[in-house]
Amino acid sequence: MYPNPQRNEADAVFEGASDYANYAFDDQKSKVLYLLIKRGMDFVFALIGLVLLSPLFLIVSILIKLEDPKGSVFFYQTRVGKDEKPFRMYKFRSMVSNAEELLDKLLEQNEISGAMFKMKEDPRITKIGKFIRKTSIDELPQLWNVVRGEMSLVGPRPALPREVMQYSSYDKLRLRVSPGCTGLWQVSGRNNLSFQEMLALDLEYIEHRGIWLDVKVMLRTVKIMVFPNSAY
């Protein structure tokens, strides 16, 4: 009995489809496992960080109040999270109380290209604010956002609503994952990078994200906090 060419071809197609389905299923399982481990690490490490850093929180709070008694210690701002969901992000206040009102007058002096605003000699920044921004201490209250599940320890920079309004559909790809307290952008040049360079790093992280990459980014972040680079 001779082999049926059509049958052999059909079997090959079926086996190929089966192999792809198995690969896709295994890949999906690994992504789910990664997200579960990542969320567990985020919650535990952020909670431990809030406890261990509480003395530093107290010192920074006192220094902020001494410089500007009328202003609040913490500053919160609406940011855009995963799947364009807005949330309230917390930071130590590093600017004068009416910083947001003064922003419109400074937009034309923006030193970063694209949908972001950065200014090296921003007149709104206080003396203690300059120090805590340089060392990234101002970002530490975001650990509370991590505990709440609104942010991750590692991920793309959380965008402002006015920035997202300028995004193209391609730019919005960076909103497919939870934003992070730190990320590839923060440890790869930070304010020296353009928006497009930041976007490329965010998309690179999303494509290659994994536990080992997250750990490496966190270790590099600690190094930058101890030896500040281009933060302002």
Side-chain angles (χ1 to χ4, degrees):
M1 185 173 182
Y2 296 101
N4 186 334
Q6 292 183 341
R7 178 181 176 84
N8 291 341
E9 184 178 345
D11 288 346
V13 171
F14 177 78
E15 290 174 2
S18 179
D19 290 342
Y20 177 78
N22 289 334
Y23 170 78
F25 180 69
D26 290 341
D27 186 55
Q28 185 64 28
K29 281 200 302 183
S30 65
K31 285 182 179 178
V32 170
L33 181 61
Y34 161 69
L35 291 174
L36 288 173
I37 295 174
K38 181 179 176 70
R39 177 56 191 151
M41 289 175 57
D42 281 345
F43 183 82
V44 172
F45 288 167
L47 204 58
I48 291 174
L50 286 171
V51 173
L52 295 180
L53 293 170
S54 56
L56 177 61
F57 275 50
L58 179 60
I59 293 171
V60 173
S61 299
I62 292 173
L63 292 175
I64 290 173
K65 273 297 185 180
L66 286 175
E67 184 171 358
D68 184 5
K70 295 182 180 180
S72 61
V73 169
F74 296 102
F75 168 76
Y76 65 84
Q77 193 175 49
T78 298
R79 295 290 179 118
V80 180
K82 181 181 178 182
D83 299 326
E84 300 186 52
K85 183 179 179 181
F87 70 97
R88 178 178 287 187
M89 188 188 78
Y90 296 93
K91 299 176 72 173
F92 278 121
R93 184 171 62 84
S94 60
M95 294 185 174
V96 294
S97 303
N98 62 336
E100 290 298 298
E101 299 170 17
L102 300 174
L103 178 60
D104 289 339
K105 300 177 182 178
L106 299 171
L107 286 175
E108 61 183 20
Q109 301 179 52
N110 188 12
E111 297 172 5
I112 297 287
S113 61
M116 289 192 301
F117 175 80
K118 285 287 182 179
M119 187 176 171
K120 191 168 185 178
E121 297 299 330
D122 194 326
R124 302 173 299 163
I125 300 176
T126 61
K127 292 178 181 178
I128 181 61
K130 191 169 185 178
F131 172 74
I132 62 177
R133 287 166 73 96
K134 187 74 175 177
T135 55
S136 297
I137 291 175
D138 65 317
E139 311 277 0
L140 292 178
Q142 291 169 28
L143 292 174
W144 179 240
N145 290 114
V146 176
V147 170
R148 289 166 56 93
E150 298 160 333
M151 292 179 64
S152 176
L153 290 174
V154 181
R157 169 187 170 272
L160 289 161
R162 61 176 170 79
E163 295 173 348
V164 175
M165 288 177 64
Q166 302 177 52
Y167 279 10
S168 65
S169 56
Y170 180 74
D171 297 338
K172 287 184 178 182
L173 291 175
R174 67 187 301 273
L175 303 176
R176 291 166 53 192
V177 301
S178 297
C181 298
T182 186
L184 282 182
W185 172 67
Q186 289 89 332
V187 299
S188 302
R190 202 163 177 174
N191 298 319
N192 292 326
L193 301 178
S194 67
F195 173 76
Q196 292 305 321
E197 289 171 323
M198 180 202 74
L199 176 63
L201 287 169
D202 284 341
L203 296 183
E204 179 184 341
Y205 169 76
I206 292 172
E207 183 179 354
H208 300 290
R209 58 193 171 134
I211 297 300
W212 177 232
L213 178 58
D214 286 351
V215 170
K216 286 197 294 185
V217 170
M218 286 190 282
L219 291 175
R220 288 174 65 183
T221 301
V222 173
K223 180 182 177 182
I224 289 173
M225 290 183 71
V226 177
F227 304 103
N229 57 1
S230 60
Y232 53 82

